[in-house]
Amino acid sequence: MGTTHTHRTVTLAWIAAWLLVAVAAAGSAFAQSTAAGQNRVVMQVSDADPGKWNLALNNARNLQADLGAANVEIEIVAYGPGIGMLKSESVVGNRIGEALGTGIKVAACENTMRGQKLQKGDMLGGISYVGAGVVEIMQRQQQGWAYLRP
Amino acid sequence: MGTTHTHRTVTLAWIAAWLLVAVAAAGSAFAQSTAAGQNRVVMQVSDADPGKWNLALNNARNLQADLGAANVEIEIVAYGPGIGMLKSESVVGNRIGEALGTGIKVAACENTMRGQKLQKGDMLGGISYVGAGVVEIMQRQQQGWAYLRP
Amino acid sequence: MGTTHTHRTVTLAWIAAWLLVAVAAAGSAFAQSTAAGQNRVVMQVSDADPGKWNLALNNARNLQADLGAANVEIEIVAYGPGIGMLKSESVVGNRIGEALGTGIKVAACENTMRGQKLQKGDMLGGISYVGAGVVEIMQRQQQGWAYLRP
């Protein structure tokens, strides 16, 4: 009887261990699905067109107005011909400052900067830098962010 | 013997309950993955360019031709400078009517309409309205829709 | 005693079977989440603008430079007004050849080709063909690829 009892206890323990694995795996997958439901948007700015720069900033402002600035994470990534949006002399410099103030992340592509011989001192203050704009945009989508090309 | 049996039965019931939790969680995650495989496309129209409006409508028609209209869900969202696509006098008004007839959803951004002092009476009949075009586009992606910017 | 033992063994077998279902379902969902984290990008080329064609090729090159060509899967899909990128006389013909040599997939839309009376003999060598460019782009996103519109 004692042997049988021990045997069953071991079997139950083994089942319980597998249960934990199943629950953990399911929980992990579930958490990722839930994370994908968060309000996160990565915006691409790759045109040398101040009209597009203003549109991107309008889109960001509307996302914040509709959802509440605290409830949406926004990252604007400028690269290629769009890098001018973030130069010191940018015509939307004031609006970038305002956007940064509301918690929007604004990132310049260092690949593009190297290609155009731009230093950080040539750029607007307060912005972020990413190694490669396209990689950043790809990775954000992999992390579940929505993509918007204004 | 009776006590031991009851004890084991309770343990087995506890294990079964946890099993149901694991199966439910896994099933939920699995269902979401599967849903992401459906044919659903949200299209962004944000340019004041009738050429782009026609391209968007061509893209939608090609999706339907290739997959069968019953097998793909399409939503065209017009906002910002693209709102003109859905005004009463739009040069693609007839095509919008045809698209609506095939089950395509066509939505105008009320934020943009307010900004341009447009009323529903100024717009094409049969279209839908969304509070903010960018929010709609973000949410559709969160729900697993593919994104297309013609 | 023998009967009780058999009864319990059957119950344990039943639990084990459900466990396998739970683990399999969780594993499947988990695998899909993981697959979504791979470096895969589908790029849309739908403008009759050689500047955009070069941008797309630059973007692809930067993705490879930053991640390593072996670590990122890239597919460029040309359709609609963008089909000219892949015609024999394309101004970016040499660059397409180089891109193909590094493992980038470059696909032309057969729908568009039919509409423009183009045969495969009118196109660059080494490229791929897809029935409908928009369907390809939608399906890649469904499979977890990031989307980029240069």
Side-chain angles (χ1 to χ4, degrees), chain B residues 1 4-6 8 12 15-16 19 22-23 26-27 29-30 33-34 36-41 43 52 55 58-60 62-63 65-67 72 141 144-150, chain C residues 1 4 7-8 11-12 14-16 18-23 25-29 32-33 44 46-47 79-81 109 111-112 131-132 134-135 137-139 141-143 147 149:
Chain B
M1 183 62 212
T4 307
H5 195 177
T6 302
R8 285 187 194 142
L12 288 177
I15 287 176
L19 260 177
V23 169
F30 188 68
S33 305
T34 305
Q38 290 174 355
N39 296 322
R40 300 178 300 177
V41 181
M43 287 192 196
K52 291 273 185 188
L55 282 177
N58 293 349
N59 285 182
N62 283 333
L63 281 165
D66 206 77
L67 300 165
V72 57
Q141 290 183 67
W145 292 50
Y147 167 83
L148 199 75
R149 194 202 188 293
Chain C
M1 184 63 211
T4 307
H7 175 71
R8 287 188 194 141
T11 307
L12 288 176
W14 182 85
I15 288 176
W18 272 102
L19 260 177
L20 288 180
V21 171
V23 170
S28 164
Q32 294 203 18
S33 305
Q44 173 181 329
S46 54
D47 295 299
Y79 73 97
C109 170
N111 267 355
T112 303
V134 282
V135 173
I137 290 170
M138 178 197 72
Q139 288 176 339
Q141 290 183 67
Q142 286 172 342
Q143 293 161 7
Y147 167 83
R149 195 204 188 289

Side-chain angles (χ1 to χ4, degrees), chain A residues 22-34, chain B residues 29, chain C residues 30 33:
Chain A
V23 170
S28 164
F30 188 67
Q32 293 203 19
S33 304
T34 306
Chain C
F30 189 67
S33 305

Side-chain angles (χ1 to χ4, degrees), chain B residues 39-62:
Chain B
N39 296 322
R40 300 178 300 177
V41 181
V42 62
M43 287 192 196
Q44 171 182 329
V45 173
S46 55
D47 295 298
D49 175 359
K52 291 273 185 188
W53 306 346
N54 275 303
L55 282 177
L57 292 161
N58 293 349
N59 285 182
R61 194 181 50 195
N62 283 333

